[in-house]
Tab-separated table of all heavy atoms in Angstrom:
chain	number	residue	atom	x	y	z
A	42	PRO	N	11.946	30.107	-61.487
A	42	PRO	CA	11.406	31.480	-61.594
A	42	PRO	C	11.404	31.920	-63.049
A	42	PRO	O	12.332	31.600	-63.804
A	42	PRO	CB	12.407	32.314	-60.794
A	42	PRO	CG	13.164	31.362	-59.959
A	42	PRO	CD	13.134	30.038	-60.643
A	45	LEU	N	14.414	33.647	-64.720
A	45	LEU	CA	15.650	32.883	-64.899
A	45	LEU	C	15.462	31.747	-65.882
A	45	LEU	O	16.429	31.187	-66.392
A	45	LEU	CB	16.099	32.307	-63.552
A	45	LEU	CG	16.339	33.294	-62.424
A	45	LEU	CD1	16.810	32.566	-61.194
A	45	LEU	CD2	17.372	34.338	-62.842
A	80	PHE	N	18.994	21.405	-60.711
A	80	PHE	CA	18.506	22.781	-60.540
A	80	PHE	C	17.406	22.876	-59.499
A	80	PHE	O	17.069	23.950	-59.042
A	80	PHE	CB	18.019	23.354	-61.878
A	80	PHE	CG	19.090	24.035	-62.650
A	80	PHE	CD1	19.761	23.410	-63.667
A	80	PHE	CD2	19.449	25.334	-62.318
A	80	PHE	CE1	20.765	24.039	-64.361
A	80	PHE	CE2	20.461	25.985	-63.004
A	80	PHE	CZ	21.124	25.331	-64.021
A	81	PHE	N	16.856	21.725	-59.168
A	81	PHE	CA	15.784	21.727	-58.154
A	81	PHE	C	16.446	21.857	-56.787
A	81	PHE	O	16.530	20.909	-56.020
A	81	PHE	CB	14.985	20.429	-58.268
A	81	PHE	CG	13.725	20.440	-57.463
A	81	PHE	CD1	12.649	21.214	-57.850
A	81	PHE	CD2	13.613	19.694	-56.307
A	81	PHE	CE1	11.484	21.226	-57.114
A	81	PHE	CE2	12.448	19.702	-55.559
A	81	PHE	CZ	11.389	20.472	-55.968
A	82	ARG	N	16.961	23.018	-56.490
A	82	ARG	CA	17.685	23.234	-55.237
A	82	ARG	C	17.249	24.552	-54.659
A	82	ARG	O	16.748	25.430	-55.366
A	82	ARG	CB	19.181	23.184	-55.496
A	82	ARG	CG	19.629	24.241	-56.496
A	82	ARG	CD	20.955	23.908	-57.115
A	82	ARG	NE	22.039	24.075	-56.167
A	82	ARG	CZ	23.266	23.577	-56.361
A	82	ARG	NH1	23.523	22.874	-57.438
A	82	ARG	NH2	24.222	23.774	-55.491
A	83	PRO	N	17.447	24.709	-53.362
A	83	PRO	CA	16.955	25.913	-52.689
A	83	PRO	C	17.415	27.196	-53.360
A	83	PRO	O	16.651	28.152	-53.475
A	83	PRO	CB	17.540	25.797	-51.284
A	83	PRO	CG	17.896	24.364	-51.095
A	83	PRO	CD	18.116	23.776	-52.441
A	84	GLY	N	18.661	27.196	-53.822
A	84	GLY	CA	19.198	28.412	-54.439
A	84	GLY	C	18.365	28.891	-55.605
A	84	GLY	O	18.329	30.084	-55.913
A	85	ILE	N	17.655	27.983	-56.278
A	85	ILE	CA	16.807	28.364	-57.406
A	85	ILE	C	15.357	28.507	-56.960
A	85	ILE	O	14.707	29.517	-57.214
A	85	ILE	CB	16.887	27.297	-58.534
A	85	ILE	CG1	18.314	27.134	-59.031
A	85	ILE	CG2	15.943	27.640	-59.672
A	85	ILE	CD1	18.854	28.311	-59.789
A	86	ILE	N	14.875	27.493	-56.252
A	86	ILE	CA	13.456	27.480	-55.901
A	86	ILE	C	13.088	28.666	-55.022
A	86	ILE	O	12.081	29.341	-55.230
A	86	ILE	CB	13.096	26.172	-55.174
A	86	ILE	CG1	13.388	24.984	-56.077
A	86	ILE	CG2	11.633	26.153	-54.781
A	86	ILE	CD1	13.393	23.676	-55.344
A	87	LEU	N	13.937	28.929	-54.039
A	87	LEU	CA	13.610	30.007	-53.099
A	87	LEU	C	13.626	31.367	-53.780
A	87	LEU	O	12.985	32.303	-53.321
A	87	LEU	CB	14.598	30.006	-51.933
A	87	LEU	CG	14.444	28.828	-50.977
A	87	LEU	CD1	15.426	28.924	-49.841
A	87	LEU	CD2	13.028	28.775	-50.437
A	88	ARG	N	14.364	31.443	-54.871
A	88	ARG	CA	14.396	32.698	-55.615
A	88	ARG	C	12.991	33.079	-56.105
A	88	ARG	O	12.664	34.245	-56.232
A	88	ARG	CB	15.339	32.551	-56.797
A	88	ARG	CG	16.277	33.704	-56.984
A	88	ARG	CD	17.532	33.279	-57.681
A	88	ARG	NE	18.596	33.032	-56.718
A	88	ARG	CZ	19.364	33.994	-56.198
A	88	ARG	NH1	19.200	35.235	-56.553
A	88	ARG	NH2	20.294	33.702	-55.321
A	89	ASN	N	12.172	32.063	-56.381
A	89	ASN	CA	10.781	32.281	-56.752
A	89	ASN	C	10.066	33.167	-55.772
A	89	ASN	O	9.578	34.226	-56.093
A	89	ASN	CB	10.040	30.951	-56.703
A	89	ASN	CG	9.974	30.291	-58.035
A	89	ASN	OD1	9.743	30.963	-59.016
A	89	ASN	ND2	10.203	29.006	-58.050
B	54	SER	N	24.192	23.795	-62.411
B	54	SER	CA	23.252	24.444	-61.487
B	54	SER	C	24.017	25.180	-60.394
B	54	SER	O	23.610	26.261	-59.966
B	54	SER	CB	22.324	23.411	-60.878
B	54	SER	OG	23.080	22.459	-60.170
B	57	HIS	N	25.079	28.434	-61.770
B	57	HIS	CA	23.944	29.368	-61.851
B	57	HIS	C	23.629	29.966	-60.493
B	57	HIS	O	23.504	31.171	-60.343
B	57	HIS	CB	22.715	28.637	-62.400
B	57	HIS	CG	22.606	28.738	-63.886
B	57	HIS	ND1	21.895	29.699	-64.535
B	57	HIS	CD2	23.164	27.991	-64.863
B	57	HIS	CE1	21.993	29.553	-65.834
B	57	HIS	NE2	22.775	28.495	-66.066
B	58	VAL	N	23.513	29.086	-59.506
B	58	VAL	CA	23.154	29.574	-58.175
B	58	VAL	C	24.195	30.582	-57.700
B	58	VAL	O	23.852	31.627	-57.151
B	58	VAL	CB	23.043	28.382	-57.197
B	58	VAL	CG1	22.928	28.868	-55.787
B	58	VAL	CG2	21.852	27.541	-57.566
B	61	TYR	N	23.772	33.950	-59.382
B	61	TYR	CA	22.661	34.749	-58.852
B	61	TYR	C	23.032	35.327	-57.497
B	61	TYR	O	22.655	36.443	-57.155
B	61	TYR	CB	21.398	33.903	-58.735
B	61	TYR	CG	20.984	33.291	-60.059
B	61	TYR	CD1	20.491	32.006	-60.118
B	61	TYR	CD2	21.097	34.027	-61.223
B	61	TYR	CE1	20.125	31.448	-61.318
B	61	TYR	CE2	20.733	33.465	-62.433
B	61	TYR	CZ	20.260	32.179	-62.490
B	61	TYR	OH	19.908	31.623	-63.682
B	62	ARG	N	23.795	34.530	-56.737
B	62	ARG	CA	24.202	35.022	-55.415
B	62	ARG	C	25.143	36.211	-55.582
B	62	ARG	O	25.028	37.208	-54.885
B	62	ARG	CB	24.869	33.899	-54.646
B	62	ARG	CG	24.819	34.130	-53.146
B	62	ARG	CD	24.924	32.852	-52.350
B	62	ARG	NE	26.067	32.048	-52.736
B	62	ARG	CZ	26.020	30.744	-52.951
B	62	ARG	NH1	24.874	30.103	-52.827
B	62	ARG	NH2	27.095	30.075	-53.273
B	65	ASP	N	23.165	39.158	-56.346
B	65	ASP	CA	22.539	39.716	-55.152
B	65	ASP	C	23.540	40.571	-54.378
B	65	ASP	O	23.191	41.606	-53.818
B	65	ASP	CB	22.058	38.587	-54.229
B	65	ASP	CG	20.872	37.866	-54.821
B	65	ASP	OD1	20.254	38.440	-55.744
B	65	ASP	OD2	20.573	36.739	-54.382
Side-chain angles (χ1 to χ4, degrees):
Chain A
L45 302 182
F80 271 98
F81 191 72
R82 59 200 288 165
I85 301 291
I86 300 166
L87 289 182
R88 225 153 262 277
N89 265 318
Chain B
S54 60
H57 268 267
V58 170
Y61 303 141
R62 203 156 52 226
D65 289 343

